[in-house]
Amino acid sequence: MNIPRIASASLAATAALVLLGSAVANAAARAPAAEPPPGGVPGVPVPALTWTDCGDGVYQCTPAEVPLDYRQPSGKKIKLQLRRWPAANPAARIGTLFIHAGGPGSSGWGWVSSFASSSPQEIRDRFDIVGYDPRGVQRSQAVSCLDTAAYRAQWAQVSTRVGPGSFDTAARLGAEWDAACEKYSGEVLPFIGAQNQARDLDVLRAAVGDPKMTLHAESYATFVGTVYANLFPTRTRAVILDAGYDPYKYATDPYAYDYGQYIATEQAMYRFLDWCANKWPDCAFGSAGSTSASLALKIRAILDDLDANPILDPSGAVDVNGATMLSELTFRLNGGTRRWVALGADLKAAQSRTGPLMYAIGGSDTTFNAANVSVDCADRVYPSDLNELRTRLAKAANDAPLTAPGMAYGPPAYDQTHAPACVRWPAKRHSRYTGPFEASGSAPILVFGNTGDPDTPYADSVALANTLENGHLVTWVGEGHTARRKSACTEAYMYEYLLRLAVPPAGTTCRDAPIPM
């Protein structure tokens, strides 16, 4: 069939356009994806940082405004407070090392001084070390829930043994907590979760002028770091996640995550008691013939006595009871074996109702736990069924009978104690992040885990390293929470990675003795 010349020309032009479109499409497919703007959202202004002396002649401070709600980048702002150690050798400067202290609720602003002073000179020479209080924490528009008097009153109502009214008390205290948080901090509660924290980090990265992120994150901050690596994988230079969170379990299965922490705490307590029983000349709480079981009974007797006969303050209010002592006792396990001798002496003193384990809830607990609980509840959704809450708390208390009952049925406090508050959390969760968590396309990410971590189970660090597409696990065989400042071997790997991007061989395990206090 003959085709008219006009039609032939038209078809030729059409074919050429098709070929051109195909070439453009193939080129677009081969081209790298466009880099997202700072914070990952168009229209986010990068704050101008004005560093001034903090008043000590050593460190520099500045505020930085970021969007309260990244869905409305030009709307209300929240002011973060930053502090830095300026690189001592600017000519050899690599960039900024951001440190995130985790918690949630810990101050990165305050951490800068001890982090810098305990780092090798080459780290102090070649990095600006920048810490900050994340949104909702301390100097950065701190979340406020109960005041200290009301919070102390909550602690006065609980016991370290499970009784007929334990669940109802826990549920009521959780509801009181929620109402106070909503009343005093309702405007910020929806926006303090990990996704917004990760976006804040990227805005701060842009503000200091670094093309890529160098980050040291501990404990809860490992989840924020994981979220950052997923939102901005190509912007990662070096990311250390010390005492890693299993991101899928933390974000999507909160009861299972809490249960792992309850069991880790109980097991750490019994490892200490095993040591105390076998090293009783060094452990003042032990004696000839002691066993871990007999020492656990001695702790149980101290807690029972304080539950029945609490120490009162001059006004007649409860100052110390079994629950407040238990909270301090379990927290001190985080220090690891280098604190065990002191912990044995502290338990010996507790038998006569003296010493540091006679712990009274104060303002620092009120402040820290307001953020600790609120951020967790912003990040996680518990099933709303109170019967499931009842069942889950009962299982934790049954399976970790020495340490879990006083935490599970106590006021909202540290980490695994949040379910009674979070299950009916009143705020929206506009800053929650639920995945993916593989961080495809990121630089190598180092995960550090302690086999005897009483707070963040070692299995979580393993899971995190396996989840990350470019994750690399370094294990320390030792006790305590976080590897840094406990193992010199793990620190050596950390610093070589930060300075020279050196990645340890697969399966790297450190077995060194703890760094002396």
Side-chain angles (χ1 to χ4, degrees):
M1 181 173 69
N2 292 325
I3 301 174
R5 295 180 70 164
I6 267 187
S8 291
S10 176
L11 286 173
T14 301
L17 286 172
V18 169
L19 289 172
L20 178 61
S22 177
V24 170
N26 289 336
R30 291 192 300 270
E35 277 290 300
V41 177
V44 174
V46 176
L49 304 181
T50 305
W51 296 100
T52 58
D53 189 90
C54 297
D56 54 19
V58 178
Y59 299 96
Q60 297 173 341
C61 294
T62 185
E65 285 194 339
V66 295
L68 175 64
D69 181 358
Y70 276 93
R71 301 172 309 164
Q72 301 177 25
S74 60
K76 290 184 177 180
K77 301 295 189 290
I78 188 168
K79 188 176 290 186
L80 309 180
Q81 297 295 334
L82 286 65
R83 186 171 178 235
R84 78 172 176 182
W85 161 273
N89 184 358
R93 181 180 176 276
I94 293 172
T96 298
L97 169 56
F98 285 96
I99 58 174
H100 192 313
S106 296
S107 171
W109 191 98
W111 192 27
V112 170
S113 54
S114 63
F115 190 100
S117 63
S118 61
S119 294
Q121 186 62 48
E122 191 174 6
I123 293 288
R124 298 197 299 271
D125 284 346
R126 304 193 67 191
F127 286 103
D128 293 340
I129 301 172
V130 173
Y132 67 104
D133 288 350
R135 53 176 61 213
V137 173
Q138 296 194 28
R139 299 165 186 84
S140 299
Q141 199 168 331
V143 170
S144 178
C145 295
L146 294 172
D147 63 28
T148 300
Y151 195 40
R152 283 168 58 88
Q154 284 204 332
W155 284 87
Q157 300 174 54
V158 300
S159 168
T160 55
R161 283 192 183 270
V162 181
S166 294
F167 176 79
D168 290 341
T169 297
R172 176 174 51 79
L173 297 180
E176 291 174 3
W177 177 274
D178 290 352
C181 294
E182 179 71 11
K183 178 178 179 180
Y184 296 113
S185 299
E187 181 183 25
V188 301
L189 292 180
F191 308 112
I192 57 176
Q195 182 170 170
N196 279 5
Q197 292 188 50
R199 295 191 188 280
D200 291 346
L201 266 173
D202 196 59
V203 173
L204 296 178
R205 172 205 58 77
V208 300
D210 283 4
K212 293 181 181 291
M213 171 62 67
T214 302
L215 173 68
H216 181 105
E218 291 192 350
S219 194
Y220 166 76
T222 66
F223 183 67
V224 177
T226 300
V227 175
Y228 182 90
N230 278 273
L231 293 176
F232 310 103
T234 59
R235 288 186 182 155
T236 53
R237 175 190 171 270
V239 175
I240 288 175
L241 306 178
D242 186 5
Y245 273 35
D246 177 341
Y248 280 109
K249 188 183 289 186
Y250 173 76
T252 64
D253 195 357
Y255 278 127
Y257 193 86
D258 292 351
Y259 181 79
Q261 287 192 296
Y262 279 121
I263 297 303
T265 300
E266 184 90 350
Q267 290 174 343
M269 179 64 73
Y270 272 92
R271 288 193 298 273
F272 161 72
L273 294 177
D274 283 337
W275 169 84
C276 189
N278 290 304
K279 299 287 186 180
W280 61 266
D282 298 322
C283 182
F285 190 57
S287 60
S290 292
T291 64
S292 59
S294 68
L295 295 179
L297 288 175
K298 289 170 69 174
I299 292 176
R300 181 72 267 165
I302 299 169
L303 298 174
D304 286 345
D305 177 59
L306 286 169
D307 283 341
N309 304 288
I311 298 172
L312 306 181
D313 68 15
S315 73
V318 171
D319 205 29
V320 179
N321 62 7
T324 67
M325 175 188 155
L326 180 67
S327 72
E328 183 66 7
L329 173 61
T330 54
F331 178 75
R332 286 176 179 246
L333 292 172
N334 285 347
T337 54
R338 57 189 182 172
R339 291 189 179 273
W340 280 4
V341 170
L343 188 56
D346 294 343
L347 282 166
K348 178 70 174 178
Q351 290 180 289
S352 58
R353 299 162 68 94
T354 61
L357 293 180
M358 298 298 101
Y359 187 78
I361 299 298
S364 62
D365 302 289
T366 306
T367 301
F368 177 85
N369 288 332
N372 192 263
V373 178
S374 298
V375 172
D376 249 10
C377 292
D379 279 340
R380 307 194 289 170
V381 176
Y382 288 75
S384 60
D385 183 0
L386 290 183
N387 286 325
E388 181 169 2
L389 174 65
R390 184 189 299 270
T391 299
R392 297 288 190 143
L393 297 186
K395 179 171 176 55
N398 180 74
D399 294 354
L402 180 58
T403 59
M407 294 190 287
Y409 295 106
Y414 184 62
D415 280 14
Q416 62 261 48
T417 69
H418 299 167
C422 294
V423 75
R424 291 177 292 183
W425 190 240
K428 300 290 186 182
R429 294 177 171 90
H430 294 316
S431 50
R432 186 176 179 229
Y433 184 87
T434 58
F437 293 111
E438 290 76 16
S440 178
S442 78
I445 296 173
L446 262 57
V447 180
F448 291 81
N450 299 354
T451 57
D453 195 317
D455 191 340
T456 304
Y458 173 67
D460 282 25
S461 291
V462 175
L464 174 56
N466 288 337
T467 297
L468 293 167
E469 182 181 90
N470 208 350
H472 302 264
L473 178 67
V474 176
T475 298
W476 180 51
V477 180
E479 295 286 332
H481 186 45
T482 73
R484 188 177 185 277
R485 304 312 303 145
K486 294 182 180 67
S487 162
C489 171
T490 60
E491 285 193 347
Y493 286 115
M494 290 179 184
Y495 299 136
E496 280 300 298
Y497 170 65
L498 291 173
L499 291 163
R500 283 168 276 278
L501 303 181
V503 176
T508 295
T509 299
C510 291
R511 301 179 184 276
D512 53 321
I515 297 171
M517 294 293 294

